[in-house]
Amino acid sequence: MRPKDSFVDATAENILDRLEDCKRSFPSALCLGGSLEAIRRLLNGRGGIEKLVMMDTSYDMVRLCKDAEQNEPSKKIETSFMVGDEEFLPVKESSLDLIISCLGLHWTNDLPGAMIQCRMALKPDGLFLAAILGGETLKELRIACTVAQMEREGGISPRVSPLAQVRDAGNLLTRAGFALPGVDVEEYTVKYQSALDLIEHLRAMGETNALLQRNRILKRETALATVAIYDSMFAAEDGTIPATFQVIYMTGWKEHPSQQKAKRRGSATISFQDIQKQFGSDS
């Protein structure tokens, strides 16, 4: 059994807190790849889920989650597992009440397309909840790698996967056709004994560089220089090094007549000039 990851657990707990804030039930739910096991383990009856499908593109990840389910079966939830791709979602249209993705969607090649498919799979008034890593993630490592490569190789090659910026998240929800879009951000600082421990953590999370067209060879001297620069630039007084993880939380609903809607343009009964006259005269 894999050891629990405090950062992954914190992210999963935060996304499930958002689910708990919705005072209604979601009988059928799909959990997309990323932190499947953490979501399953921390769900604790939130959302009133009766049927839960756990899906990942990796057979090994699905198997790990399935083994964990057998060791600690979910009470009162009918759980099934499948191998599938978020970009070609193998789910019927308008068949789900809830879709959750925790630290998985930033890996997709076509993020807008995957989110559109999620919306199509939801029933009217269905909920989409996602957490993805944002562009400020691992900023310390990016800086150390860039400086080391410039010093040792005279140029740079991306060593960390590109990630979405906060300003992009709201546009993604709108482009995918979600109603009532909501975006918020949290930053986590995780301390490690060395940069090598950070790299091992990223490998355990499956968060290493995913770029296909990248320099696959990292010279030993460049790697050692990266570790030394990271330590000299960012090490704390206690000798540990910090790593920033920026998490973007996205919330969206499939359209339904009962949802709040903006008033039609021109339907206001009072003008800003009237408001200024009433409240602005004292300023």
Side-chain angles (χ1 to χ4, degrees):
M1 184 176 178
R2 295 176 65 190
K4 296 177 182 178
D5 187 314
S6 58
F7 165 65
V8 171
D9 281 5
T11 305
E13 189 66 48
N14 279 337
I15 203 170
L16 291 173
D17 281 345
R18 288 159 174 77
L19 175 62
E20 192 173 15
D21 289 338
C22 301
K23 304 304 180 184
R24 53 161 288 190
S25 297
F26 301 89
S28 58
L30 169 67
C31 184
L32 297 178
S35 307
L36 296 179
E37 194 277 329
I39 292 290
R40 185 203 63 81
R41 173 167 42 84
L42 298 171
L43 190 57
N44 294 328
R46 285 178 279 196
I49 297 172
E50 298 173 4
K51 293 183 179 180
L52 176 62
V53 179
M54 313 292 283
M55 191 192 88
D56 198 289
T57 55
S58 167
Y59 172 81
D60 290 334
M61 293 300 293
V62 172
R63 180 174 54 82
L64 283 171
C65 191
K66 192 172 184 178
D67 291 344
E69 166 68 17
Q70 292 175 348
N71 294 330
E72 300 177 20
S74 301
K75 298 178 181 178
K76 299 180 181 180
I77 299 180
E78 180 184 333
T79 307
S80 57
F81 304 86
M82 73 162 70
V83 177
D85 190 342
E86 296 93 338
E87 297 179 37
F88 304 96
L89 207 58
V91 179
K92 292 182 180 179
E93 189 173 336
S94 300
S95 62
L96 298 166
D97 298 294
L98 170 69
I99 293 179
I100 298 177
S101 176
C102 182
L103 299 179
L105 279 179
H106 54 269
W107 280 104
T108 59
N109 294 313
D110 181 14
L111 182 53
M115 291 174 64
I116 289 172
Q117 292 197 45
C118 287
R119 178 183 58 79
M120 294 176 65
L122 287 169
K123 298 177 182 178
D125 206 30
L127 175 62
F128 171 78
L129 283 172
I132 63 173
L133 292 178
E136 291 298 306
T137 297
L138 300 176
K139 58 186 178 182
E140 301 90 352
L141 181 60
R142 294 173 193 268
I143 293 171
C145 283
T146 299
V147 174
Q149 285 186 298
M150 289 297 296
E151 287 183 353
R152 304 292 175 170
E153 302 175 22
I156 60 173
S157 173
R159 291 293 172 184
V160 181
S161 296
L163 298 168
Q165 299 296 324
V166 176
R167 61 179 178 272
D168 300 326
N171 295 333
L172 285 169
L173 287 166
T174 303
R175 181 177 173 184
F178 284 106
L180 307 176
V183 176
D184 58 293
V185 184
E186 289 194 24
E187 285 195 0
Y188 303 85
T189 301
V190 182
K191 292 185 177 182
Y192 299 89
Q193 292 301 315
S194 69
L196 297 177
D197 290 334
L198 166 60
I199 299 301
E200 287 302 315
H201 184 205
L202 294 176
R203 287 176 177 170
M205 292 171 62
E207 295 290 352
T208 50
N209 194 351
L211 288 174
L212 183 62
Q213 296 180 338
R214 68 182 191 272
N215 185 356
R216 296 177 179 271
I217 300 175
L218 177 62
K219 296 180 180 179
R220 177 182 173 82
E221 62 179 13
T222 304
L224 293 175
T226 300
V227 173
I229 292 169
Y230 201 131
D231 185 73
S232 64
M233 293 183 68
F234 302 107
E237 293 182 359
D238 60 1
T240 61
I241 61 161
T244 299
F245 291 88
Q246 183 187 56
V247 181
I248 303 173
Y249 295 94
M250 299 187 290
T251 305
W253 297 81
K254 189 167 183 178
E255 285 190 352
H256 188 270
S258 66
Q259 294 170 353
Q260 296 175 342
K261 291 180 175 60
K263 292 287 186 180
R264 181 177 55 84
R265 292 190 65 180
S267 62
T269 59
I270 187 170
S271 70
F272 281 108
Q273 288 182 344
D274 295 334
I275 295 175
Q276 187 177 16
K277 289 178 183 178
Q278 183 175 356
F279 298 101
S281 58
D282 297 333
S283 59

